[in-house]
Amino acid sequence: MEKKPHFVKRDVPGREAPSLLLALLLAAVLLLHALLYLGLSSPRRSAGRAEADPGLCPFGHFKLGPVKNCSPWLSCEAIDREVRKLKCVGEGAVKKVFLSEWKENKVVLSQLTNAELKEDFLHGLKMLKALQSKYVVRLLGYCEKQFTVLTEYHPLGSLRGLNETLHIPKYKSMNTWHRRLMLAIDYVSIIRYLHSSPLGTLVMCDSNDLDKVLSQYLLTSDFHILVNDLDALPLVNRSAGRLVKCGHRELWGEFVAPEQRWPYGEDVPFDDDLMPPYDEKTDIWKIPDVSNFFLGHVEGSDIVRLHLFDIHAACKKKDPAERPSAQEILDTYRKVLTLLIREAAMPGTREML
């Protein structure tokens, strides 16, 4: 009951009032922006086609750039006739990637390079078709007989270049704790989507180290994240007793989850037939490390880490069953973002109370 008179007695010198009001106004705008972001990215908003259909086109169609009409996915003939390769911009174990052009739009053409991995390539295409949503790079066309896939081009590239991008003068204003936390929210949103996808619970297997994880995702020009590479995305089906193994080789290191490591010691040679399978909680184990990369070392990022300490500690539980779900992590991240921006909006709140 004493709060009100205590607050009234706090006088602000006249010369400080304009700057204080301006600071409060800017903080209020920041808070509104974050709340709008959280509202727009909430999965509850997206029940049904809004989440599953990027650009609000029907399945099998897309629209690109300022074009209002939806076009059907390009066929083999259309790709051969209308798409022009410009230059090779990347090559991995499965495919080679070309910056290309379609009707004056920059696009990305991916082609299989290793015939022995064609099943991986086709699996990635199957996933790309089935999972089209606001979380997945936009599919523009494909040709199975030529093992080619056409997708939307994002000039900022993969997340491996995030820190370099944030040091470009044009993007330095984005290099803040709240923008970096929003990227972490995007990342966890994608993991949540994969764990509750239309196909069932999918595990992001191309994730044996941080660099590999970051290479699987794209940074959009409006600073959101899309998953780009879906070649290694096996399905967990507990009711059918189906778990997964990410490849057939031994995995090492603290980045991969404990259950992904050979459990029988150095004296027993690795044998894939003896390696126990596991579930999607391997993705949960890796979230703190990926989020730590997103948060970087900007002012305020250590405060964010402090608020995320408990949920990240839970992610690192040795027993996978004790780790939280991606939805629980996402809920926590959103609460922390809202809380910290409210505190930034009213930095003297605690003293006034």
Side-chain angles (χ1 to χ4, degrees), residues 4 41 44 90 111 123 162 257 279 288 313 351:
K4 185 173 181 180
S41 56
R44 295 173 181 85
Q111 290 186 315
H123 176 74
L162 174 64
D279 62 17
E351 290 80 358

Side-chain angles (χ1 to χ4, degrees), residues 315-327:
C315 292
K316 292 294 188 178
K317 295 281 189 180
K318 187 172 182 179
D319 183 354
E322 294 181 5
R323 296 173 204 156
S325 68
Q327 183 65 63

